[in-house]
Amino acid sequence: MEQIIDQYESQKRKLNATMRNRLTAYAFILPNFLGFVAFVLVPVLASFVLCFTEWDTSNPIQFKGLGNFLQLLKDDAFITSFWNTVYYTGAVVPLTMAVSLGLAVMLDKKLKGAKVFRSIFFIPYIASLVAISVVWNMIFSPEAGPVNSFLRSIGLSEPPLWTSSVHWAMPVIIFVGIWRFVGYYMVLYLAGLQGIPRELYEAAEVDGATAWQQFRKITLPMLTPTTFFVVIMLVINSFKVFDQIMVMTQGGPGRATHVLVFYIYYRAFQVFEFGYASAIAFVLFLVVLTITIIQFRMEEKWVKYM
Amino acid sequence: MKKSEVLRSLKINFANKALLYIILLTGVYIVLFPFAWMLSGSIKANADVFEYPIRWIPKAILWRNYIEIWTSIKFGLFYFNTIKITVVIVILQLTTSSLAAYAFARIKFPERNKLFIAYIGTIAVPYQVYMLPQFIIIKKLGLYDTHTGYILLQAFTAFGVFLMRQFYMSIPEELSESARIDGLNEFGIYRRIILPLSKPALASLGIFTTVMIWNDFLGPLIYFTSEKNKTIQLGITLFMNSYGTDFALIMAAAVCSMLPILIVFFSAQKFFIEGIATTGLKG
């Protein structure tokens, strides 16, 4: 009998402790949680409902089922912005990766001024994209910008019209995108490089491996985890490109730089079709989700640890 | 090794180093070109901005451009708005997310994992996806085109909680244990032990948030329609639209919009770069 009472008492104590912990924990979490639920969690969940509706926010909401998505398939503007986003991503991801990895490898050597170089390459990432896009626009100005002045001075009489040209607008946007993000990914790669044991290189040197062989056989395989992370981040960020386009080309000329987020923005805040805009946003989400899943699957297969 | 061989390897080494520096300096040129061109243009006469070959130091230095931008447009107001919004968001972000993160990292309670997954799950959803329902909520609350609305949206991110939690996890549990034996309650442990240890993480989060909010364009573009509410990033585009051909003035405005963030970065770059290197990889 006494045993049972003891057991009961200890269980009660345990429950009390759990209850107390729970209350304390909730007190800590609550201030953030309330805001998080109201302004992040609920909107995230609502976005999965909104894409099946038609709503201008003032008239009553109407359910459309898959209507928005069927309409998307026939919407030229959507298809163009989708492929433009793919174009941007397809160029930005490999180029940014290559340049940032190259810079990181160079700066990882014991080099005088490595820290100064690191800081300089990082500046574009923190500088306001709006202001710098304005400046890039002037630099690429077809008539008077320094880029075309230079091209004319070396004998190119008809240099590209850059952001006013259907063919060159996107490459300029891509260039600015790479210019901006290289420093960020360089820092990620530098962190990855620091995790590679120096002994590996020393051993390779003893065996007479050249610098290129060391890069191919040690650096690259050892960096695979970093590279996977970099690719995910780059693809996701590229699919979200907006600021430089809004400032530099406003999606033009024609639809040459229409991208997904630009089209979401346009449909929601210019035309007030929130349901339809949500459907476009949902496509963006699906792309991001698919890429993340693929990357994680591949990571299990490919990532080479020692 | 023979003397000639040593000499040859030294020469190769030197050539390698030189090549390395040439590549890096080319990179520096491309990275800094727009900044330098902007700085130099901002103190030029408007007609000289596009002068080619570029005259980096102008014939006559026109500081006047910098005075003019503050008088020709409500630049001061935009500046004030941006500072106000940034400061309030950073304070809210740091206090609420460090508190929440403490519970997720250091207190055992039954719903801990479920709640944390709710937070983490939203990190994977791009802002552009949920900004639409967010907009509707803010509008229905009557907070459209107010600073309060925007502040509420930006202050409670999953990222902040996640970053702080990762840091708290790395603090040894024994510290809390011995404090508990000394009779401190959870809030006391948080306040007296954990918080003082997490200055680097708080600094990282604070700087991240500052840069993000200061540079945010899409958010203010959606939410601030009346001029009295606009931030510096909108101010620049406004400036561009109304003084489209005053290139020197636009450049001066661009310099002013970036300066505070560059100062913040250079005075605290350690936290910033290390913050990315550690949390970025764990993310």
Side-chain angles (χ1 to χ4, degrees):
Chain A
M1 187 64 193
E2 234 163 58
Q3 225 178 348
I4 293 173
I5 290 177
D6 265 4
Q7 225 168 14
Y8 174 74
E9 283 291 316
S10 91
Q11 215 146 50
K12 208 171 120 187
R13 257 202 306 278
K14 227 182 188 169
L15 265 176
N16 271 341
T18 316
M19 208 49 215
R20 218 180 22 247
N21 270 354
R22 190 183 256 160
L23 285 178
T24 327
Y26 280 129
F28 272 94
I29 292 173
L30 210 61
N32 192 278
F33 194 65
L34 288 179
F36 171 75
V37 168
F39 301 113
V40 181
L41 193 59
V42 168
V44 165
L45 298 176
S47 65
F48 299 117
V49 180
L50 201 57
C51 58
F52 299 108
T53 68
E54 188 176 323
W55 201 19
D56 61 0
T57 74
S58 21
N59 292 308
I61 189 164
Q62 274 182 328
F63 273 87
K64 271 182 87 178
L66 288 171
N68 286 330
F69 293 97
L70 295 175
Q71 198 183 332
L72 275 182
L73 293 175
K74 285 179 276 170
D75 182 351
D76 280 344
F78 166 74
I79 292 164
T80 312
S81 23
F82 183 82
W83 287 115
N84 281 340
T85 316
V86 172
Y87 173 21
Y88 176 85
T89 309
V92 164
V93 174
L95 290 172
T96 311
M97 242 177 71
V99 178
S100 55
L101 176 61
L103 290 175
V105 169
M106 283 192 265
L107 292 185
D108 192 45
K109 302 236 161 47
K110 285 190 186 73
L111 202 67
K112 257 200 189 123
K115 278 209 163 148
V116 180
F117 282 119
R118 190 184 70 172
S119 304
I120 291 175
F121 293 141
F122 199 76
I123 294 175
Y125 179 69
I126 47 138
S128 113
L129 193 52
V130 175
I132 210 68
S133 297
V134 171
V135 176
W136 276 118
N137 238 3
M138 292 186 206
I139 293 174
F140 280 107
S141 154
E143 307 87 40
V147 170
N148 275 1
S149 296
F150 169 75
L151 290 177
R152 280 194 199 95
S153 77
I154 58 165
L156 221 70
S157 56
E158 277 175 49
L161 298 176
W162 304 121
T163 49
S164 322
S165 142
V166 178
H167 298 291
W168 285 102
M170 193 52 110
V172 172
I173 300 286
I174 288 168
F175 171 78
V176 173
I178 298 170
W179 174 85
R180 173 169 167 81
F181 283 112
V182 153
Y184 175 79
Y185 293 101
M186 178 198 72
V187 169
L188 290 183
Y189 270 125
L190 273 171
L193 285 170
Q194 256 136 45
I196 304 177
R198 296 285 131 174
E199 298 87 59
L200 289 178
Y201 293 103
E202 282 159 21
E205 210 135 293
V206 172
D207 292 345
T210 63
W212 176 246
Q213 282 171 328
Q214 291 179 24
F215 178 73
R216 283 285 310 277
K217 304 280 177 191
I218 302 175
T219 313
L220 272 187
M222 291 295 287
L223 274 181
T224 343
T226 314
T227 304
F228 270 103
F229 181 69
V230 165
V231 171
I232 296 179
M233 295 296 288
L234 262 172
V235 173
I236 292 176
N237 282 329
S238 300
F239 260 89
K240 297 195 290 196
V241 60
F242 177 75
D243 290 12
Q244 72 242 49
I245 287 176
M246 190 65 187
V247 177
M248 292 181 75
T249 62
Q250 284 98 42
R255 280 183 195 156
T257 54
H258 247 262
V259 288
L260 283 179
V261 176
F262 184 84
Y263 196 43
I264 297 173
Y265 172 79
Y266 171 78
R267 279 291 177 154
F269 301 109
Q270 306 283 318
V271 195
F272 300 105
E273 293 174 333
F274 278 84
Y276 194 64
S278 288
I280 308 166
F282 190 75
V283 173
L284 176 72
F285 173 70
L286 279 187
V287 171
V288 168
L289 189 73
T290 315
I291 287 156
T292 315
I293 291 171
I294 292 175
Q295 293 293 349
F296 276 116
R297 285 277 155 79
M298 299 281 244
E299 194 171 9
E300 284 165 13
K301 258 195 217 160
W302 280 4
V303 174
K304 289 176 191 143
Y305 297 95
M306 274 308 289
Chain B
M1 235 192 293
K2 282 190 211 138
K3 204 176 159 193
S4 62
E5 266 176 49
V6 174
L7 218 67
R8 222 186 59 198
S9 84
L10 268 179
K11 256 187 197 161
I12 291 175
N13 229 327
F14 180 77
N16 273 343
K17 271 249 158 91
L19 186 68
L20 217 60
Y21 276 110
I22 291 172
I23 297 173
L24 286 172
L25 286 173
T26 314
V28 168
Y29 183 79
I30 297 171
V31 163
L32 291 187
F33 182 87
F35 296 105
W37 196 65
M38 166 182 75
L39 263 181
S40 132
S42 73
I43 46 173
K44 278 180 181 167
N46 196 38
D48 296 339
V49 167
F50 288 106
E51 203 179 10
Y52 192 88
I54 300 165
R55 193 194 298 268
W56 292 103
I57 297 164
K59 283 173 285 185
I61 294 180
L62 284 184
W63 297 112
R64 190 158 45 90
N65 294 339
Y66 279 91
I67 299 165
E68 213 163 304
I69 53 168
W70 296 86
T71 49
S72 56
I73 196 165
K74 291 179 180 152
F75 216 67
L77 176 72
F78 301 148
Y79 232 82
F80 173 77
N81 284 343
T82 316
I83 293 172
K84 178 184 125 189
I85 290 172
T86 309
V87 168
V88 176
I89 290 175
V90 167
I91 291 172
L92 278 174
Q93 172 91 265
L94 288 186
T95 48
T96 66
S97 57
S98 77
L99 277 168
Y102 180 84
F104 284 125
R106 318 287 292 193
I107 303 176
K108 287 201 180 68
F109 62 103
E111 298 83 7
R112 181 162 84 165
N113 286 340
K114 271 181 211 142
L115 286 179
F116 193 63
I117 285 171
Y119 269 89
I120 292 297
T122 65
I123 292 186
V125 184
Y127 168 70
Q128 288 80 358
V129 172
Y130 63 88
M131 71 178 182
L132 306 170
Q134 227 181 20
F135 176 83
I136 296 168
I137 291 173
I138 290 293
K139 212 173 164 198
K140 298 281 170 198
L141 288 174
L143 295 171
Y144 175 62
D145 197 20
T146 66
H147 287 164
T148 318
Y150 179 75
I151 287 168
L152 286 174
L153 296 185
Q154 299 285 3
F156 309 103
T157 61
F159 171 73
V161 175
F162 178 70
L163 192 145
M164 291 312 297
R165 175 185 173 269
Q166 293 305 92
F167 186 82
Y168 291 156
M169 300 283 273
S170 70
I171 300 174
E173 188 59 40
E174 292 84 49
L175 276 178
S176 307
E177 283 307 323
S178 56
R180 243 168 241 138
I181 292 164
D182 290 345
L184 275 179
N185 63 14
E186 289 299 327
F187 187 75
I189 299 172
Y190 163 77
R191 180 81 193 74
R192 303 252 186 91
I193 305 209
I194 304 294
L195 215 48
L197 284 174
S198 30
K199 273 179 200 152
L202 289 169
S204 284
L205 179 58
I207 295 160
F208 269 117
T209 311
T210 306
V211 172
M212 207 190 77
I213 299 301
W214 188 278
N215 288 341
D216 188 19
F217 176 60
L218 183 54
L221 182 70
I222 295 171
Y223 286 102
F224 302 141
T225 45
S226 51
E227 204 179 72
K228 68 175 199 317
N229 286 330
K230 289 198 170 174
T231 60
I232 197 102
Q233 305 304 338
L234 294 179
I236 299 271
T237 52
L238 205 68
F239 201 89
M240 224 172 57
N241 295 338
S242 33
Y243 295 84
T245 50
D246 271 327
F247 300 109
L249 288 188
I250 293 174
M251 304 261 223
V255 172
C256 285
S257 79
M258 270 184 224
L259 211 56
I261 229 60
L262 288 176
I263 293 170
V264 167
F265 170 66
F266 278 107
S267 50
Q269 55 167 311
K270 197 181 128 239
F271 294 117
F272 203 82
I273 291 182
E274 277 163 21
I276 287 177
T278 53
T279 60
L281 276 176
K282 278 177 190 157

